[in-house]
Amino acid sequence: MTTPTTVALLRAVNVGGRNKVPMKALRDHMVVAGFTGVQTLLASGNVFFQDHPDDPAASLSRIIQDHFGCRVPVVLRSADAIARAIERCPYPAEERNPKLLHVGFCTSVPDPALVDRLDPDRSPPDQYTVDGDTIYVDYADGSARSKLSAHWFDKQLGCTTTFRNWRTLGKILARARG
């Protein structure tokens, strides 16, 4: 039986010239640390592995800090969880723009009371839906000027979130299942 793939979604690496984490070097350090089946996708912090003897999120965070001098949040999801996030998208397929639709993965399920307090009119015409530990954001005019940032969701919901656009999420699922 094949060990299921785990996806590590790193937040804010190799974006805008900060938090430089070369993916090949990261893979090499992960293998030395005991991760198996390590692969990466794109340079923006999408890492796949089959197994690790310790707490993988903490180990991966430690590797990144020790070898690259960066402190970046690590969010883990199984391939099945990525597939469920895609299947549960609340926005109709015919209306989805894969460049403007983003899916956020939280480190924990936010308190429902905090979700209820979110301002639905914070950044019109953008819209969002929180579904358990997943946030869907449809950036009608792009994310650059939107007030629906990962930092805002983090602050409001008391957890850490990292986002991927719809197109990248499809690539992540294909790699995780492939």
Side-chain angles (χ1 to χ4, degrees):
M1 186 166 102
T2 305
T3 304
T5 297
T6 299
V7 182
L9 303 163
L10 312 180
R11 177 161 145 184
V13 298
N14 302 335
V15 178
R18 49 174 254 196
N19 291 337
K20 293 286 188 187
V21 179
M23 294 294 108
K24 181 181 181 334
L26 177 60
R27 287 190 309 267
D28 293 345
H29 289 298
M30 289 176 69
V31 169
V32 168
F35 286 85
T36 63
V38 180
Q39 298 180 25
T40 57
L41 175 68
L42 307 172
S44 55
N46 305 298
V47 183
F48 307 84
F49 61 92
Q50 265 68 51
D51 198 16
H52 184 270
D54 297 325
D55 176 5
S59 295
L60 188 48
S61 292
R62 201 169 35 256
I63 288 168
I64 294 168
Q65 184 168 356
D66 291 350
H67 295 282
F68 306 105
C70 307
R71 284 188 165 190
V72 297
V74 175
V75 179
L76 301 179
R77 289 292 185 276
S78 67
D80 288 344
I82 299 287
R84 275 192 305 277
I86 290 171
E87 291 166 6
R88 294 177 59 88
C89 182
Y91 304 113
E94 62 276 1
E95 296 175 17
R96 294 179 197 154
N97 180 329
K99 293 180 184 176
L100 301 178
L101 178 59
H102 287 67
V103 180
F105 297 94
C106 306
T107 52
S108 61
V109 176
D111 182 324
L114 296 175
V115 173
D116 289 343
R117 285 188 225 144
L118 291 174
D119 178 4
D121 298 317
R122 175 170 172 77
S123 188
D126 302 334
Q127 55 183 330
Y128 65 86
T129 301
V130 180
D131 180 9
D133 61 3
T134 306
I135 303 171
Y136 300 87
V137 181
D138 184 3
Y139 294 109
D141 297 321
S143 61
R145 288 186 288 274
S146 178
K147 295 179 183 177
L148 300 177
S149 67
H151 292 289
W152 180 75
F153 282 110
D154 291 355
K155 184 176 178 184
Q156 300 303 309
L157 299 176
C159 60
T160 300
T161 308
T162 187
F163 283 85
R164 299 297 185 272
N165 73 36
W166 193 254
R167 184 173 290 146
T168 299
L169 195 57
K171 292 176 183 177
I172 289 170
L173 180 60
R175 173 71 59 90
R177 290 242 166 116

